[in-house]
Amino acid sequence: MSVEAADREAVSGSRPCTPPQASWFEFLLDPSLLEQHLQGPHPDPSPVQLIVQFLEQASKPSVNEQNQVQPPADNRRNRTLKLMALKAAAHLTWDLNLLEKGLTIPVLNMLLNELLCASRVPPGVKHVDLDLSTLPPTTAMAVLIYNRWAIRTIVLSSFPEKQTKPGPHQLNMMSLVQQEKELTDNILSVLREQAADSIMVLERALNIKKDFYIHTLRTLDLLAADPSTANGETESSTAGLRISADHLHCQVHYDLGGIHFQQGCSDPSVYEKAREHFRMARELLTKLDSSASLCCVDEQRLAGYWSACKTLTEASDPSESQLTPYGQISCFMRNHDYGALIEAFIRDNVTLSLPNSFRHSIQLELLHKLQQGDRSLEEVCHKLCVCNAVRDALEGGILSVSFHQLLLKPSKNTISFLLEVCTRSLDKEHRSETSKRKMAIFIKTVCNRLEDVSLAFMVSSHKLFMELLHDEEKKILMEQMRKSSATVNLSAKPLPSFYDIPASASVNISQLEQQLILSLDPRHIRQILIELHGMAERPFWRVNSKWEVPVDYVNVILAIKDNLTRDLVYILMAKGLHCISIKDFAHARQLFTACLELVTEFSPKLRQVMLNELLLMEVRGHEAGAAEGNMERPPPDLVSRVRGYLEMRIHDLPLRQTVGEECVVFMLNWRENEYLTLQVPQSLVNSNPYIKLGQLIASTCKELPGPKESRRTAKELWEVVVQICSVSSQHKRSSDSRVSLLKQRESSLVNEVTAEHISIWPSSLANLQSVDVEAVVVTLKELVNYALSLNPNNQSWLCTQADIYFVTNQYSAAMHYYLQAGTVCSDYFTKPVPPDVYTDQVAVLCQFLREVDYMTAFKALQEQNSHDSMDSFYDYIWDVTILEYLTYIHHKRGESDKRQVAIKAIGQTELNSSNPEEVLQLAAQKRKKKFLQALAKLYF
């Protein structure tokens, strides 16, 4: 026994020896150890932990000899690490439940992107543009796994999370946590933007009836051994683990149901789609072997979804609605039958068939509608609050904060209704001594809380008071009421200030936190926080992980010494920012104004921060109105405040970059060009890059159209944009398989796109290699998309969009926009299309050029793998030379049927070359019109 072994034995004593945890580099030194490790009964590290370790090591940046940070190298070591990460996931059979539970969103995003690369998914092509039925099985399955994860992640990210409270030793890690959070938010933003495409990909997969295959450790080894093979056309395509169509469809239906159910919050009609997908998932699940490990559907959650969808959709079974309490309540809510809803709640106080949580959720739903402005629900909310309070009392629960608030200033009708509910909630035949005692305590509490003595006497004179309370209790209460009647009740006056709100009685912390999350009333929020700080001294700004304030402000807010004030400032700002994000500017203004009033008392710095955020809110509010068609110019006061912000210079004031950006954009949108070009201080232009860019854009727009010498400003703008789109040599991307196909065309791509005012820009680029052409194309595409959303009938923009799609090999989309451009400039092809609209397209369109492009036409017609149904368009060809070539090419291929179609087209008398020129021109115009109208029907 060695000395080290003896030491270990002495320390461990009689305990069993635990093998040391394997390290990631051991598998890198000997990759064959990985499969052996994963096959063990309880591998340590687990597969999920190994995925994290492998990808973390593979994505570490390197440092060169000049001490410059470089992107992760594309070398054998890193490729092996990525492959091992994929193998660990393959060992888990790509179970998204396990992967989502153990991996963060950024790590899982990295893993699935590596899967797409390894599976030979064509780079640079949208998944929605792929035909899954023609792809190798493992390639198609990789696309489906990624898009399933995309919509599942959108759904999971919408669930509220309770953050783990960091201890003192973790505060220094806040910046790292913030970085990961920002990365996660960026990924979620992309996934949400692409949600419609992901849904379409998965819906199309439901039409594929053949089996699929997913990668195993063996197929991944095959791919690694033969990296040159394109599109997975190897044994690995069908050598993976077989997934039956029913298995796949069950999971896809379940995932689609989840995303539609989540979208139903903003569009209730979508619940119908969710219900249908869940119905199909349930049906398929019954056909599958329940012990099969490949189907990862959460049956319990599916049952819950199914029940919820039946309740939320109009097509729910009427008989079921009459039989189940849930169905009845949902029916009342759908039909706005609130009288019946209240009666059902009173009856349930006796039967106790509905869970208390469900009853309170109904109350909160209606309270939310009331806060949104539906004042007709005020009395309904009061009555439901009373019903729930009586139920809480009968179960020995703590009364809700909303009930305590109601008792601060109730009406006579409210107290009368409360006494009625108390009477009806005691089962006359089976009321126990326990329930009677609980009701007595409740009535006594109500008496003690009522500040209006006349209402307190109203309770004390009721028969329940006389029956349920002991004589001594009645005597004490009556004495208290007599003393109160001789005093003036000043606290019943309206509360004039944000600071004068009293705290209500203590209630359950979780109930208060729920109220805190839902409330948008600044005074209500402060009152709840006073309650919470009276019960526990902890940071309540962490109650909801969705509360976010800009990182620029976090340190300033968290430096506030008073805990209550710190929580209040943080929560008011976070809620206000959320309201702005959903365009609820009325509530945002209330929250920000209250926060401004609060911080003005103690922090000039935070006061200016809130003034800046209020300005940004006004700017976004005005821009939102413009997007909805209100083109009224902004008030002079708002323009003046924007100028003031741009020129503001306050030392040590935290500034959000987006405020400055949006202020410059605001000035550009409302054509405040005089200010940007002539009045803005030069020192500001030199020190603020956003103002500099805004000035150049304003100057260039101001000079359009202008003389040749006015292009100096356009040249300056060009140089600034080129600089923005340039990358330094040390950060240039390596040409691996993930780089877009655009890189193959970067030397000429930009020049192939036409655009309006293109003549004002320089005709050449000094250093094309330093420009990230892919980024330029993506930016241009997004910009043109947005421009077309504002003016979808702009012919120039439509042609630019078509050109972009054409040079990136997306021909179907290109054809759509070329046709749309032709449509808008020819009154749906009833007039001739201007000759500069169409360029070198397929054979028929080659006739539209001023000089017929026979070379391109003949090349297109020689394409044997064409799928454009060209022979069905022969009647639209008016150029006899092209028709003669068609006859020749079909004869050469032995395609006699198509040759006869071409001969018939040539034989039309109006195409005879001996005809007068006017007849030939008329024949051409007639065919142009019919062809373009027929083509447009295919694309619109």
Side-chain angles (χ1 to χ4, degrees), residues 687-708:
S687 62
N688 192 321
Y690 307 107
I691 295 180
K692 174 67 175 176
L693 181 61
Q695 184 187 65
L696 290 173
I697 294 173
S699 300
T700 304
C701 292
K702 187 178 175 182
E703 294 171 358
L704 283 175
K708 188 172 183 180

Side-chain angles (χ1 to χ4, degrees), residues 15-28:
R15 290 176 300 173
C17 182
T18 303
Q21 187 184 62
S23 183
W24 62 269
F25 60 79
E26 296 179 45
F27 303 109
L28 185 63

Side-chain angles (χ1 to χ4, degrees), residues 394 426 430-440 468:
L394 289 171
L426 278 178
H430 304 97
R431 55 184 184 179
S432 64
E433 289 300 318
T434 302
S435 61
K436 287 193 289 184
R437 190 62 204 147
K438 288 176 179 177
M439 185 63 79
L468 299 178

Side-chain angles (χ1 to χ4, degrees), residues 537-792:
E537 196 57 45
R538 67 183 191 219
F540 290 101
W541 59 271
R542 292 184 182 144
V543 164
N544 187 356
S545 64
K546 302 294 182 183
W547 288 339
E548 299 173 358
V549 301
V551 67
D552 312 80
Y553 304 154
V554 169
N555 291 336
V556 182
I557 294 174
L558 296 186
I560 298 173
K561 293 182 179 178
D562 181 72
N563 293 338
L564 172 61
T565 306
R566 181 197 60 211
D567 285 350
L568 188 53
V569 171
Y570 189 100
I571 292 170
L572 289 174
M573 181 181 284
K575 284 178 175 283
L577 291 169
H578 171 71
C579 287
I580 292 174
S581 70
I582 61 174
K583 295 185 170 56
D584 183 1
F585 297 107
H587 279 112
R589 187 174 291 105
Q590 292 175 11
L591 292 158
F592 278 177
T593 302
C595 194
L596 175 63
E597 180 184 344
L598 179 63
V599 300
T600 297
E601 297 294 325
F602 66 88
S603 175
K605 186 182 293 185
L606 279 174
R607 177 182 180 274
Q608 189 59 54
V609 164
M610 290 314 305
L611 288 173
N612 294 346
E613 290 300 319
L614 277 163
L615 173 62
L616 180 60
M617 181 203 69
E618 298 290 351
V619 166
R620 287 182 174 174
H622 198 84
E623 299 288 62
E628 294 172 1
N630 179 14
M631 300 309 295
E632 183 179 349
R633 286 193 62 79
D637 171 66
L638 180 56
V639 176
S640 176
R641 287 164 59 200
V642 170
R643 291 184 181 186
Y645 177 83
L646 293 175
E647 298 174 13
M648 179 177 63
R649 286 293 175 270
I650 299 178
H651 178 65
D652 197 27
L653 178 69
L655 296 174
R656 270 216 292 163
Q657 178 177 314
T658 188
V659 183
E661 291 175 359
E662 295 196 32
C663 282
V664 172
V665 170
F666 175 82
M667 300 296 274
L668 287 169
N669 281 344
W670 294 101
R671 294 181 175 85
E672 292 289 331
N673 293 337
E674 290 297 320
Y675 172 77
L676 289 171
T677 56
L678 301 176
Q679 299 172 19
V680 64
Q682 188 59 39
S683 60
L684 198 59
V685 176
N686 296 336
S687 62
N688 192 321
Y690 307 107
I691 295 180
K692 174 67 175 176
L693 181 61
Q695 184 187 65
L696 290 173
I697 294 173
S699 300
T700 304
C701 292
K702 187 178 175 182
E703 294 171 358
L704 283 175
K708 188 172 183 180
E709 56 269 17
S710 71
R711 295 181 185 175
R712 181 179 59 82
T713 306
K715 184 174 184 295
E716 287 184 37
L717 176 59
W718 170 275
E719 290 171 351
V720 169
V721 174
V722 168
Q723 186 178 359
I724 292 171
C725 296
S726 296
V727 290
S728 62
S729 58
Q730 67 198 47
H731 290 105
K732 285 186 71 68
R733 300 177 185 177
S734 58
S735 54
D736 60 13
S737 60
R738 289 173 295 172
V739 175
S740 168
L741 290 174
L742 298 172
K743 283 291 180 184
Q744 301 173 10
R745 303 171 57 90
E746 67 178 16
S747 61
S748 61
L749 182 148
V750 179
N751 290 331
E752 295 177 19
V753 177
T754 59
E756 198 173 13
H757 306 302
I758 203 164
S759 60
I760 70 171
W761 309 116
S763 58
S764 61
L765 197 59
N767 189 7
L768 179 62
Q769 295 304 315
S770 67
V771 176
D772 188 342
V773 179
E774 183 176 356
V776 173
V777 174
V778 170
T779 304
L780 182 60
K781 190 182 294 185
E782 291 296 320
L783 181 62
V784 177
N785 271 333
Y786 178 70
L788 287 172
S789 72
L790 300 177
N791 184 1

Side-chain angles (χ1 to χ4, degrees), residues 744-849:
Q744 301 173 10
R745 303 171 57 90
E746 67 178 16
S747 61
S748 61
L749 182 148
V750 179
N751 290 331
E752 295 177 19
V753 177
T754 59
E756 198 173 13
H757 306 302
I758 203 164
S759 60
I760 70 171
W761 309 116
S763 58
S764 61
L765 197 59
N767 189 7
L768 179 62
Q769 295 304 315
S770 67
V771 176
D772 188 342
V773 179
E774 183 176 356
V776 173
V777 174
V778 170
T779 304
L780 182 60
K781 190 182 294 185
E782 291 296 320
L783 181 62
V784 177
N785 271 333
Y786 178 70
L788 287 172
S789 72
L790 300 177
N791 184 1
N793 294 325
N794 187 298
Q795 173 198 325
S796 175
W797 297 347
L798 288 166
C799 286
T800 300
Q801 184 73 301
D803 286 346
I804 293 170
Y805 280 118
F806 184 74
V807 299
T808 54
N809 301 328
Q810 299 178 65
Y811 300 119
S812 178
M815 182 65 81
H816 173 91
Y817 282 100
Y818 281 127
L819 288 169
Q820 200 169 339
T823 299
V824 300
C825 68
S826 65
D827 196 12
Y828 198 71
F829 302 119
T830 58
K831 301 173 184 175
V833 178
D836 59 339
V837 174
Y838 292 133
T839 54
D840 50 343
Q841 304 297 304
V842 293
V844 173
L845 292 185
C846 289
Q847 304 169 101
F848 283 82
L849 305 181

Side-chain angles (χ1 to χ4, degrees), residues 904-917:
K904 182 181 177 183
I906 293 176
Q908 297 175 88
T909 56
E910 54 193 332
L911 297 183
N912 192 317
S913 57
S914 301
N915 288 338
E917 184 63 24

Side-chain angles (χ1 to χ4, degrees), residues 27 32-47 50 87-88 90-93 216-218:
F27 303 109
S32 64
L33 291 177
L34 179 62
E35 187 168 359
Q36 178 183 344
H37 173 81
L38 294 174
Q39 296 297 339
H42 300 288
D44 185 22
S46 67
L50 284 174
K87 285 184 174 182
H91 174 73
L92 299 175
T93 62
T216 61
L217 279 73
R218 176 171 172 266

